[in-house]
Amino acid sequence: MNIGELAKRTGLTNSRIRFYERAGLLKTVERLPNGYRTYRPEAVLMLELITTAQNAGFSLDEIRSLLPSDLEQWDHPVLIDTLRRKVADIGRLEARLAQSKEQLVALIKDIEARPDDIDCAANARRVLSQLLGKEMERPTVTVGDVKLFGKTRRRRRPRAG
């Protein structure tokens, strides 16, 4: 089949299919004398495996090492080991994400617990002090440090020339 038909069957673009070919992931391609690519029927399955693996979080290098050159030649122990390692990686990522989520939720609660008698800047110092476990210095602000927020009218100088 040609690349257009393969793209229709897989839902991938022609450029994505060529990319997988250049990356060494899609090896079920032959070149006709006129330079056109022709794909064997198993290319559909191979592309579905590649996109499924990418959606599961596998890198292209991991997919390249995992996929056999011939779909009839799977190395079962290597496949199972690789899948188990990916599940463990996902578990570690989930734990890091859960910890980050807890920290952010706690930070939101700290910020929202602003006493009525302090302004936002003082509240930020209060929350940061709690996070860092020490008292933060109150910054000294000079007139030169103050910036106005919002739109201001600026006069543009005419360009010379």
Side-chain angles (χ1 to χ4, degrees), residues 112-132:
E112 290 177 338
R114 176 176 63 99
D116 292 335
D117 62 337
I118 66 171
D119 64 9
C120 209
N123 192 43
R125 284 191 300 279
R126 178 187 67 84
V127 171
L128 287 173
S129 295
Q130 290 172 353
L131 283 174
L132 299 174

Side-chain angles (χ1 to χ4, degrees), residues 121-158:
N123 192 43
R125 284 191 300 279
R126 178 187 67 84
V127 171
L128 287 173
S129 295
Q130 290 172 353
L131 283 174
L132 299 174
K134 60 183 177 183
E135 191 62 34
M136 294 213 28
E137 263 184 46
R138 186 176 183 94
T140 55
V141 179
T142 64
V143 174
D145 294 332
V146 176
K147 293 183 179 180
L148 299 175
F149 294 101
K151 291 186 176 182
T152 59
R153 292 183 61 177
R154 294 184 185 179
R155 294 183 187 207
R156 295 185 184 198
R157 293 183 185 177

Side-chain angles (χ1 to χ4, degrees), residues 84-107:
R84 285 189 175 138
R85 275 187 280 137
K86 184 52 77 175
V87 168
D89 290 346
I90 291 169
R92 286 188 291 277
L93 178 60
E94 286 174 332
R96 284 196 315 266
L97 289 172
Q99 183 180 18
S100 294
K101 180 181 176 181
E102 286 176 20
Q103 290 171 343
L104 290 172
V105 167
L107 180 60

Side-chain angles (χ1 to χ4, degrees), residues 1 20 28 30 37-38 44 53 55 64-65 75 82 98 120 133 139 145 149:
M1 84 184 84
Y20 288 143
T28 57
E30 296 169 6
R37 293 171 172 87
T38 183
V44 173
N55 290 337
R64 189 178 300 107
S65 68
D75 186 344
T82 303
C120 209
D145 294 332
F149 294 101

Side-chain angles (χ1 to χ4, degrees), residues 1 14 17 19 39-40 42 48 53 56 75 79 82 93 100 108 120 127:
M1 84 184 84
N14 294 4
I17 293 169
F19 170 77
Y39 298 89
R40 295 187 300 238
E42 52 275 1
E48 288 172 351
D75 186 344
L79 175 64
T82 303
L93 178 60
S100 294
I108 290 167
C120 209
V127 171

